[in-house]
């Protein structure tokens, strides 16, 4: 399984996203550039200039609209075809940490740190169409104010807020290792659980929302998204930064009950040790065991982001070193008994 | 009248000692018994103690003084008084209430500067006389304390967050750790260690140290010693010496919880104490003298004291009566000798005529040889290091085998059960500057019937990034590790073993691996397992002696990890020889047992896997059903049908071909 790599920046890649059809993928880096690539060949189609170091991005299902959140404190909107900047939200924002479209692209959730505080994080839900209309009205002024609904639990430093199945719930993760389940649109707290010792770096759902996987300092845990009950636990001695679940996880024919999880010791400490732990682990969720490990010898930094192809035939990584690698599973993955 | 007690000082008219002596010889009488038994109500009387002891003629004065004392403080006056010379009085009152009230008033009052009064009613006296049954402290028997020796598995103490202790067994067949004592809460402590035999777990706090032990690791003994920070157990663990790090040593009897002796000596350390192997004699090395203390009370035996000018190290030779002594220093004659405590003679080592930097001495565990490490010096620079081994069965003259390394040896790693040594020194680059790489020289002490005791070279290990070599206690295996913090080579581990080739022992490296950010490395007491731990990432690895990874785990917030100590030889010498003679039968027997366990474990694992599969597929099927049932809602939210193949557009590659006319 030999990957090819693409590189559009010198700085660390923070996030990687593949569109619904799987023909394009987007990498966002700390220097504020979002690159669009063709999956088949690795050809770069274009570059979107965001206003600051991009922490997070999301796409609509019809591949028309791209939203990115930057650490400079703005949420930028782009038209994917053509790369036209539609405008940005900046009011009262110190850092934007997470953006995500709801199922059906009607709503947009954003997690950000307000100007008034350095500790608290706020989560808001915006109507996408309203925002776009406002952008059309104020074409000369591209700064918009946030005036929409607000979901902020007390003393909860949010790192990620995602929509549950059919937008009926919202799940949030915190820097203290807690998971919070809110009902939507009632916004009532259903459950709040302490699941990890440290910060939850990222969590991901299976395609059919059957499980939820978290990545944190002490490994990777699998939960039931409806009740937040612990199902499986993969222990790792190095911190894990990213997790992705195979889209073929719960298909009726030939399921692949796998997830990939990756990370590595922080880049600032790599000089002090020869062991790095930059491997990508492929895990079987049913038996709670690791079935394979991938390590690219050219890789020199930890992995920050992972994304599975929609057809489950491969995945893309985003590295601290600025590289993004495209892996395609070879024949043994589909034929060997080990991967069943 | 009220000032009478102030005018007469009752202290001056104390009873003469002879008078008290005579009074003590008499049979003690119960004062209350002397009262007439008719119409006697004991509840009307109270007992008063703490009055001055006086002679017969002073009695009336004391009574008036007592009356004045009561009047002055507005206490209830008594009706009658019966007083004796020992400072006791019985006061009688009108009714019970008054007596009760008077006791409350008089108790704990100061009669004068030196006398405090105490009063009791009859009820209180009866209550005091009713003694509950005395329960003596039940000491754990030695069998109970050492019961863990019979278990062949190695035990591991794991401490999390400095407060939670759990003891686990290593199941080497199934390659996992099993719980023995699960999560005991520890009090706050500064330091923790196991005693050499593994009987006691010692916790140090600022002003005391406490010993835990037996089956459930309960608190057994507690000893008070201010600022205690070091301990030395006697070989049979009956006595312990505690040291406060400055100058005070205390010898304790552990089972009796009793302080035996206190020694105050400046500029000395706990290493200056040496117990003889049978725990009967204790040698203490002071400046220019060796003092001997004898068990069980540890009185100093003056006639056994030995003059030794500039003594630097002493060591008892086991199974003999020799004490090995090393003396050297500035303007002091360098000498090494063995003092025989039976015949009171000195046996001299070889003469040392050259200038030396330091001498270290090592003694075989079974008393067959003595080894010394001598660093030679010239112009304040060490230029050579010599390792010598002397045969104790050929003493006149001493038969010595030696080997010299022409380097300044930084460290020596010794294993004294079988006689293995490793010398290490830093390598130098072309400009003669020291680098971070080390060279190890390995030696083994060989016993031969014909040749006597020989020092045999095992070989060299050059250019190693590791700086420490740890011997397994059986002497067959070793591990080279690097635990230096912030070094790029931190976490390197290399395993090696000693094998025989053409009857010549040689070394071979079996595995070199890495446990990143390793901060702790230790052989288990039998020398078959090796544990490495990182306190930064809380990861724990257990390796077999040749470097095979047995256990890999992360334990949340682990701060400390220790093997529980055990004697190396659990069987007696005869039993061990019997085992060696019939080892083939034993191998068959135990391999069959192992197979049974392994097959069962394999079967269990398969069953568990099946169960996991069934449970999880059931869970997934439920979820899939929900997913399929809500298809319409999804369609509504999305605005199109995901499974409709017609709305998908196939990706077409258009290749333009042009014929170019040249």
């Amino acid at each position: 399984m030999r990957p090819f790599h693409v590189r559009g920046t010198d700085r660390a890649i923070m996030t990687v996203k593949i569109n619904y059809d799987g023909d394009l993928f987007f990498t966002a880096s700390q220097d504020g550039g979002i690159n669009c690539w063709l999956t088949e060949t690795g050809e770069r189609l274009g570059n979107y200039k965001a206003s600051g170091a991009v922490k997070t991005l999301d796409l609509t299902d019809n591949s028309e609209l791209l939203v990115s959140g930057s650490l400079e404190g703005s949420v930028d909107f782009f038209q994917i075809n053509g790369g036209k900047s539609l405008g940005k939200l900046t009011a009262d924002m110190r850092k934007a940490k997470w953006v995500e479209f709801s199922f059906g692209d009607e709503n947009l959730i954003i997690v950000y740190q307000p100007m008034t505080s350095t500790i608290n994080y706020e989560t808001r839900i915006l109507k996408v169409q309203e925002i776009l209309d406002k952008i059309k009205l104020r074409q000369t002024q591209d700064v918009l104010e946030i005036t929409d609904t607000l979901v902020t639990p007390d003393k909860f430093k949010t790192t990620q807020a995602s929509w549950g199945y059919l937008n009926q719930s919202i799940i949030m993760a915190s820097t203290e290792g807690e998971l919070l389940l809110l009902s939507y649109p009632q916004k009532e707290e259903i459950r709040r659980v302490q699941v990890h010792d440290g910060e939850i770096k990222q969590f991901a759902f299976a395609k059919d929302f059957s499980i939820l996987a978290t990545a944190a300092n002490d490994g990777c845990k699998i939960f039931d998204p409806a009740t937040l009950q612990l199902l499986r636990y993969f222990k790792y001695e190095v911190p894990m930064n990213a997790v992705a679940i195979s889209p073929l996880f719960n298909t009726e024919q030939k399921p692949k009950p796998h997830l990939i999880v990756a990370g590595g010791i922080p880049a600032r400490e790599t000089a002090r040790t020869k062991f790095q732990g930059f491997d990508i682990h492929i895990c079987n969720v049913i038996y709670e065991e690791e079935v394979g490990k991938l390590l690219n010898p050219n890789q020199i930094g930890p992995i920050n982001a992972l994304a599975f192809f929609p057809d489950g035939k491969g995945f893309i990584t985003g590295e601290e070193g600025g590289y993004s690698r495209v892996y395609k599973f070879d024949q043994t993955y589909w034929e060997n008994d080990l991967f069943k | 009248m009220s000032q009478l007690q102030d005018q007469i000082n009752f202290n001056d008219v104390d009873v003469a000692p002879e008078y008290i002596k005579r009074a003590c010889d008499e049979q003690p009488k119960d004062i209350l018994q002397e009262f007439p038994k008719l119409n006697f109500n004991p509840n009307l009387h109270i007992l008063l103690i703490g009055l001055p002891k006086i002679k017969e003629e002073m009695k009336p004065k004391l009574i008036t003084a007592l009356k004045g004392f009561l009047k002055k403080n507005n206490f209830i006056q008594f009706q009658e008084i019966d007083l004796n010379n020992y400072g006791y009085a019985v006061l009688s009152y009108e009714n019970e209430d008054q007596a009760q009230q008077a006791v409350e008033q008089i108790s704990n009052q100061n009669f004068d500067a030196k006398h405090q009064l105490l009063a009791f009613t009859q009820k209180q006296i009866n209550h005091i006389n009713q003694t509950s049954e005395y329960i003596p402290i039940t000491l754990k028997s030695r069998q109970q304390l050492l019961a863990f020796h019979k278990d062949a598995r190695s035990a591991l103490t794991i401490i999390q967050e400095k407060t939670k202790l759990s003891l686990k067994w290593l199941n080497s067949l199934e390659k996992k750790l099993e719980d023995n004592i699960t999560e005991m809460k520890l009090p706050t402590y500064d330091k923790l260690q196991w005693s050499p035999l593994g009987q006691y777990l010692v916790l140090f706090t600022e002003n005391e140290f406490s010993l835990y032990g037996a089956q459930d690791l309960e608190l057994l003994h507690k000893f008070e010693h201010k600022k205690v920070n070091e301990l030395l157990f006697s070989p049979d663990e009956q006595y312990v010496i505690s040291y406060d790090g400055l100058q005070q040593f205390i010898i304790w009897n552990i089972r009796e919880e009793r302080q035996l002796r206190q020694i105050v000596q400046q500029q000395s350390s706990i290493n200056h104490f040496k117990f003889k192997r049978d725990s009967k004699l204790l040698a203490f090395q002071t400046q220019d003298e060796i003092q001997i203390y004898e068990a069980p009370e540890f009185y100093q035996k003056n006639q056994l004291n030995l003059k030794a000018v500039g003594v630097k190290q002493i060591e008892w030779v086991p199974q003999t009566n020799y004490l090995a002594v090393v003396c050297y220093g500035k303007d002091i004659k360098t000498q090494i000798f063995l003092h025989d405590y039976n015949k009171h003679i000195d046996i001299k080592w070889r003469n040392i005529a050259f200038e030396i930097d330091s001498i270290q001495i090592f003694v075989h565990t079974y008393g067959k040889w003595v080894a010394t490490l001598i660093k030679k010096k010239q112009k304040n620079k060490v230029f050579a290091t010599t390792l010598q081994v002397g045969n104790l069965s050929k003493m006149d003259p001493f038969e010595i085998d030696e080997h010299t390394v022409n380097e300044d040896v930084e460290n020596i790693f010794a294993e004294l059960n079988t006689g293995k040594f490793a010398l290490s020194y830093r390598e130098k680059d072309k400009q003669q500057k020291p680098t971070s790489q080390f060279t190890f020289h390995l030696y083994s002490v060989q016993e031969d019937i014909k040749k006597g005791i020989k020092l045999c070279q095992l070989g060299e290990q050059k250019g190693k990034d590791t700086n420490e070599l740890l011997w397994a206690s059986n002497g067959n295996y070793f591990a080279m590790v690097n635990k230096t913090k912030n070094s790029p080579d931190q976490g390197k581990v290399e395993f090696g073993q000693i094998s025989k080739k053409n009857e010549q022992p040689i070394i071979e490296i079996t595995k070199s691996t890495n446990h990143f950010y390793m901060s702790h490395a230790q052989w288990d007491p039998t020398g078959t397992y090796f544990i490495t731990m990182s306190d930064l990432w809380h990861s724990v690895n257990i390796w077999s002696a040749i470097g095979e990874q047995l256990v890999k785990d992360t334990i949340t917030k682990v701060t400390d990890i220790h093997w529980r100590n055990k004697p190396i030889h659990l069987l007696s010498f005869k039993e061990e020889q019997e085992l060696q003679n019939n080892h083939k039968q034993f191998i068959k027997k135990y391999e069959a047992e192992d197979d049974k366990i392994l097959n069962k474990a394999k079967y269990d694992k398969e069953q568990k896997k099946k169960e996991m599969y069934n449970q999880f597929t059931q869970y997934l099927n439920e979820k899939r059903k929900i997913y399929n049932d809500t298809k319409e809602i999804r369609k509504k939210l999305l605005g199109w049908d995901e499974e409709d193949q017609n709305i998908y557009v196939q990706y077409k590659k258009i290749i333009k071909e042009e014929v170019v006319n040249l």
Side-chain angles (χ1 to χ4, degrees):
Chain A
M1 195 149 88
R2 208 178 163 78
F4 70 85
H5 72 257
V6 294
R7 187 182 189 191
T9 170
D10 293 338
R11 304 291 302 277
I13 288 181
M14 304 299 282
T15 179
V16 171
K17 277 269 151 69
I18 305 177
N19 70 346
Y20 186 87
D21 303 315
D23 59 337
L24 302 175
F25 72 94
F26 297 80
T27 60
S29 71
Q30 274 183 348
D31 64 354
I34 302 164
N35 286 316
C36 174
W37 311 84
L38 209 58
T39 321
E40 201 61 35
T41 56
E43 183 189 338
R44 188 163 86 157
L45 295 179
N47 181 299
Y48 309 86
K49 261 266 176 277
S51 42
V54 183
K55 173 81 181 160
T56 169
L57 69 89
D58 202 10
L59 322 164
T60 51
D61 284 341
N62 52 12
S63 303
E64 277 181 1
L65 194 61
L66 185 148
V67 179
S68 74
S70 76
L71 293 178
E72 211 121 289
S74 67
V75 174
D76 303 58
F77 292 83
F78 296 99
Q79 201 179 333
I80 290 179
N81 192 0
K84 187 186 168 193
S85 171
L86 295 174
K88 58 180 177 180
L89 294 172
T90 53
D92 186 33
M93 218 189 277
R94 196 185 287 272
K95 281 175 190 172
K97 278 207 121 180
W98 189 260
V99 292
E100 192 178 310
F101 284 110
S102 67
F103 191 74
D105 302 335
E106 195 191 339
N107 292 331
L108 176 72
I109 198 163
I110 58 173
V111 177
Y112 67 97
Q113 200 176 40
M115 273 296 182
T116 49
S117 118
T118 52
I119 309 159
N120 285 329
Y121 284 89
E122 288 190 1
T123 310
R124 282 172 199 255
I125 294 156
L126 314 170
K127 290 248 170 359
V128 179
Q129 203 50 50
E130 272 180 30
I131 293 284
L132 288 176
D133 290 347
K134 278 186 186 176
I135 288 170
K136 271 180 192 169
L137 278 174
R138 302 186 180 185
Q139 268 179 351
T140 47
Q141 238 182 337
D142 57 353
V143 178
L144 283 170
E145 286 166 12
I146 296 171
T147 51
D148 258 294
T149 45
L150 161 102
V151 185
T152 5
D154 287 343
K155 292 172 189 172
F156 196 83
K157 296 181 194 172
T158 322
T159 53
Q160 179 180 346
S162 289
W163 296 95
Y165 184 47
L166 300 176
N167 305 337
Q168 285 168 356
S169 60
I170 295 171
I171 293 180
M172 292 165 126
S174 81
T175 50
E176 265 89 46
E178 283 176 300
L179 276 182
L180 178 77
L181 180 63
L182 293 174
S183 65
Y184 187 81
Q186 293 91 346
K187 295 162 203 161
E188 280 165 3
E189 185 178 316
I190 300 170
R191 279 206 79 184
R192 185 171 176 167
V193 232
Q194 180 78 42
V195 293
H196 284 286
D197 283 341
E199 180 186 343
I200 296 176
K201 297 273 179 60
Q202 197 214 327
F203 64 85
F205 292 103
K207 195 191 172 189
D208 62 345
F209 289 83
S210 55
I211 59 163
L212 177 153
T214 59
N217 266 0
D218 52 351
C220 169
K221 284 182 178 175
I222 314 289
F223 297 91
D224 182 351
T227 58
L228 296 189
Q229 185 197 354
L230 179 68
L231 301 172
R232 297 286 185 264
Y233 181 19
F234 298 96
K235 271 188 188 180
Y236 289 107
E237 50 193 3
V238 292
M240 288 295 139
N241 294 338
V243 60
I245 300 169
S246 169
L248 307 176
F249 186 80
N250 199 10
T251 50
E252 272 173 45
Q253 287 158 2
K254 290 186 181 176
K256 291 277 176 195
H258 296 154
L259 66 86
I260 48 172
V261 54
I265 60 170
R268 61 176 183 277
E269 289 183 22
T270 46
R272 281 167 47 196
T273 175
K274 284 187 179 160
F275 180 82
Q276 289 141 345
F278 297 149
D279 318 54
I280 302 160
H281 307 272
I282 303 173
C283 304
N284 187 322
V285 177
I286 293 181
Y287 299 128
E288 202 177 12
E289 64 186 11
E290 190 179 310
V291 286
K293 208 156 75 168
L294 289 168
L295 177 63
N296 197 311
N298 300 326
Q299 193 180 325
I300 49 159
I303 287 170
N304 284 339
L306 282 174
F308 246 109
F309 284 128
D311 55 1
K313 287 181 180 170
F315 57 91
I316 300 177
T317 65
E319 273 174 41
E320 185 81 17
Y323 287 96
S324 186
R325 287 176 216 276
V326 181
Y327 289 82
K328 292 262 180 174
F329 291 123
D330 50 20
Q331 208 57 32
T332 47
Y333 180 76
W334 306 104
E335 286 173 359
N336 201 324
D337 285 348
L338 190 72
F339 294 103
K340 270 179 184 170
Chain B
M1 184 61 100
S2 60
Q3 279 88 36
L4 186 67
Q5 58 179 351
D6 303 330
Q7 290 160 10
I8 308 165
N9 191 353
F10 289 106
N11 288 323
D12 294 341
V13 286
D14 253 356
V15 197
E18 289 172 25
Y19 182 84
I20 296 171
K21 228 178 187 178
R22 195 145 40 80
C24 289
D25 289 341
E26 290 171 15
Q27 284 286 323
K29 289 171 193 169
D30 194 340
I31 301 167
L32 294 173
Q33 274 179 2
E34 290 173 5
F35 277 80
K37 284 187 181 169
L38 285 168
N39 300 329
F40 176 71
N41 184 357
N43 293 337
L44 295 181
H45 302 271
I46 66 166
L47 177 69
L48 187 68
I49 61 172
L51 288 167
K53 294 169 186 171
I54 44 156
K55 285 178 189 173
E56 199 65 39
E57 58 264 24
M58 292 287 286
K59 267 188 182 177
K61 282 187 181 176
L62 182 61
I63 291 170
T64 43
L66 188 63
K67 276 183 180 169
F69 169 75
L70 293 178
K71 196 178 179 185
K72 184 183 163 190
N73 291 319
N74 288 328
F75 293 163
I76 300 167
Q77 281 291 352
F78 53 87
Q79 289 196 322
E80 284 171 38
I81 186 163
D82 188 41
L83 192 68
N84 71 359
N85 306 78
Y86 316 122
Y88 294 83
V90 175
L91 310 178
S92 50
Y93 288 86
E94 271 184 2
N95 52 38
E96 280 184 37
D97 288 351
Q98 275 195 359
Q100 184 67 35
Q101 225 174 350
V103 164
E104 283 164 16
Q105 285 172 347
I106 296 172
S107 270
N108 297 323
Q109 292 292 333
N110 286 327
F111 183 62
D112 61 9
K114 280 193 176 176
H115 297 94
Q116 198 183 31
L117 298 178
L118 282 175
F120 304 95
T121 60
Q122 187 65 35
K123 275 182 191 169
Q124 285 172 335
I125 292 168
N126 289 342
H127 183 73
I128 292 166
N129 285 342
Q130 279 174 1
T131 50
S132 55
E133 204 177 326
Y134 172 67
I135 305 160
I137 308 158
T138 44
L139 283 173
K140 298 274 173 196
S141 71
R142 222 172 144 68
Q143 270 188 338
Q144 279 173 317
L145 288 176
L146 292 171
F148 71 96
H149 281 181
K150 285 179 187 164
D151 202 316
R153 302 173 296 176
S154 301
L156 199 61
T157 354
I158 294 167
I159 292 129
Q160 287 166 285
E161 295 179 75
K162 275 211 153 193
T163 51
K164 273 186 273 172
L165 177 138
S166 49
L167 200 67
K168 296 196 175 185
W169 297 104
L170 175 65
N171 188 337
S172 56
L173 278 177
E174 292 177 32
K175 300 185 179 176
K176 63 178 180 185
L177 289 171
E178 280 178 22
D179 284 350
N180 182 272
I181 295 175
T182 45
E183 292 208 343
M184 191 179 93
K185 272 241 161 175
L186 287 178
T188 50
Y189 66 95
D190 301 334
K191 210 171 90 174
L192 176 144
Q193 73 178 62
W194 280 104
S195 69
L197 283 183
Q199 265 191 90
Y200 302 113
L201 179 76
V202 191
L203 290 189
F204 292 86
T205 54
E206 199 181 346
N207 289 329
E208 61 188 19
F209 63 96
S210 34
L211 305 183
Y212 291 74
Q215 197 76 45
D216 301 321
L217 276 191
E218 52 200 282
L219 177 63
L220 298 176
H221 309 289
K222 217 172 214 182
F223 302 94
E224 280 187 15
H225 188 175
K226 269 194 179 173
K227 292 179 182 174
V228 58
N229 66 354
E230 268 187 287
L231 284 190
L232 177 74
F233 280 91
S234 70
D236 58 358
E237 300 198 345
Q238 273 194 38
Y239 311 105
V240 65
I241 305 176
S242 60
Y243 178 46
D244 64 355
L246 294 168
Q247 48 183 326
Q248 192 191 30
F249 300 89
I250 300 179
I251 307 175
W252 305 89
N253 187 325
I254 293 175
R255 307 276 286 175
E256 293 171 15
E257 286 192 20
R258 189 159 61 95
Q259 180 176 339
L260 297 171
R261 208 130 308 284
Q262 205 174 45
I263 299 163
V264 176
Q265 193 84 39
Q266 281 179 342
Q267 292 178 345
S268 50
S269 81
I270 202 100
N271 290 333
H272 292 178
F273 282 95
K274 288 284 144 64
F275 273 105
K276 213 178 162 193
R277 193 52 58 94
D278 56 4
S279 299
K280 277 179 184 162
L281 290 181
L282 171 68
F284 175 46
Q285 157 209 340
T286 63
Q287 224 173 7
D288 304 342
E289 198 184 23
I290 296 160
Q291 294 171 356
I292 301 290
Y293 297 84
E294 195 182 29
E297 287 298 318
F298 288 94
Y299 290 117
Q300 193 175 344
K301 276 204 137 187
N302 284 324
Q303 68 268 31
L304 287 180
N305 283 2
L306 193 68
K307 277 246 152 157
V309 181
V311 56
K312 285 287 188 303
Q313 196 189 350
I314 54 170
E315 209 72 61
W316 286 100
V317 184
Q319 296 176 355
T320 59
N321 284 312
Y322 298 128
L323 182 73
V325 182
V326 177
C327 306
Y328 62 90
K330 210 179 177 188
D331 305 328
I332 293 168
K333 193 189 169 194
T334 306
Q335 54 176 348
I336 306 170
F337 61 87
L338 302 176
H339 184 79
D340 192 333
Y341 271 95
N342 259 2
K343 298 171 192 166
H344 297 285
I345 47 165
D346 287 353
I347 301 150
K348 286 235 157 112
W349 196 261
R350 200 180 274 176
N351 269 344
I352 297 168
F354 38 82
E355 205 181 346
I356 58 115
D357 181 64
S358 70
I359 299 177
Q360 273 174 279
I361 195 157
F362 303 92
V363 196
H364 185 216
T365 315
Y366 305 107
K368 287 186 177 166
W369 46 259
V370 172
T372 57
L373 183 82
I374 302 167
K375 286 188 186 178
K376 293 179 191 173
K377 194 165 74 170
Q378 205 172 39
K379 292 175 187 170
N380 283 330
K381 211 176 172 188
V382 179
F383 70 96
T385 312
T386 308
L387 183 68
Q388 296 180 335
V389 175
N391 189 348
L392 283 181
S393 51
K394 285 185 184 174
M395 304 263 273
D396 199 21
F398 236 120
E399 193 190 80
I400 289 174
D401 194 14
E402 65 175 17
H403 193 266
T404 306
V405 180
N406 291 329
E407 291 284 347
D408 181 5
V409 168
E410 208 164 282
N411 283 315
I412 176 161
F413 306 99
E415 193 278 301
L416 302 172
N417 298 322
T418 54
K420 300 285 189 306
F421 293 96
L423 309 181
S424 77
Y425 56 85
R426 264 176 208 278
E427 284 179 6
K428 283 172 184 163
D429 60 5
K430 283 174 187 171
Q431 282 100 33
Q432 293 295 308
K433 279 182 183 168
T435 62
S436 66
Q437 290 189 322
F438 280 81
T439 296
F440 292 90
H441 286 258
L442 284 89
Y443 300 93
S444 159
V445 179
Q446 298 282 321
E447 289 168 45
D448 203 326
I449 303 159
K450 283 178 193 170
K451 292 176 188 168
I453 281 170
K454 289 281 167 207
L455 189 62
C456 168
Q457 282 191 65
L458 292 173
E460 284 177 26
Q461 291 290 321
K462 275 187 183 171
K464 292 286 165 194
D465 296 325
T466 50
N467 57 0
E468 221 175 308
L469 190 143
L470 304 169
W471 288 102
S473 62
N474 53 22
N476 292 328
Y477 307 101
F478 61 87
M480 293 186 279
V481 294
N482 192 333
K483 295 188 288 188
T484 326
K485 267 193 181 171
N486 299 340
S487 145
D489 300 312
Q490 184 182 4
K492 279 210 165 179
V493 190
E494 276 188 77
F495 290 92
Q497 69 170 3
I498 291 161
S499 52
K500 275 194 175 173
K501 199 178 179 184
N502 302 335
E503 303 248 325
Q504 280 290 320
I506 51 154
I507 46 171
E508 51 178 322
I509 299 293
T510 50
K511 177 133 185 183
S512 52
T513 63
N514 201 324
H515 180 181
F516 76 124
Y517 286 101
M518 177 177 63
S519 62
H520 181 98
Q522 196 189 5
W523 281 98
D524 93 307
T526 52
T528 41
Y529 308 111
F530 190 71
I531 191 164
T532 55
M533 192 267 280
S534 156
D535 53 4
L536 189 63
W537 296 107
H538 310 305
S539 55
V540 174
N541 279 346
I542 299 178
W543 316 82
S544 73
I546 53 166
E548 184 194 351
Q549 195 174 39
L550 296 178
V551 176
K552 184 186 174 190
D553 205 353
T554 51
I555 300 168
T556 42
K557 290 182 181 170
V558 58
T559 48
D560 220 342
I561 210 157
H562 297 275
W563 290 107
R564 187 175 192 171
N565 287 336
K566 240 185 205 185
I568 315 158
H569 298 279
L570 300 176
L571 301 172
S572 64
F573 186 67
K574 266 188 183 175
E575 283 174 309
E576 214 163 81
Q577 275 204 330
E578 215 178 86
L579 255 178
Q580 273 176 0
N581 293 338
N582 313 323
H583 68 280
K584 275 187 185 169
Q585 293 173 13
F586 281 102
I587 285 173
K588 263 186 192 172
K589 188 182 153 194
Y590 288 115
E591 271 185 350
E593 273 181 30
D594 281 2
D595 280 350
K596 262 187 199 170
I597 296 169
L598 280 179
N599 285 338
K600 192 172 178 289
K602 203 178 164 188
Y603 177 77
D604 284 353
K605 211 177 171 185
E606 275 173 11
Q607 287 295 316
K608 203 186 162 193
K609 250 185 147 179
K610 250 183 199 173
E611 202 181 309
M612 276 171 117
Y613 180 80
N614 290 337
Q615 271 185 7
F616 208 81
T617 41
Q618 199 186 337
Y619 168 81
L620 285 181
N621 287 339
E622 280 170 22
K623 289 277 169 186
R624 195 187 297 147
K625 208 187 160 203
I626 297 171
Y627 188 73
N628 290 338
D629 288 351
T630 49
K631 193 183 165 187
E632 287 303 315
I633 307 172
R634 266 188 289 136
K635 214 168 145 184
K636 206 176 165 188
L637 274 173
L638 270 179
W640 78 84
D641 190 1
E642 278 178 296
E643 284 154 27
D644 188 4
Q645 292 293 326
N646 296 329
I647 63 163
Y648 284 87
V649 181
Q650 288 295 317
Y651 202 76
K652 276 182 194 168
K653 265 187 188 174
I654 301 160
I655 301 164
K656 275 188 183 175
E657 282 185 30
E658 276 180 39
V659 181
V660 183
N661 292 322
L662 290 168

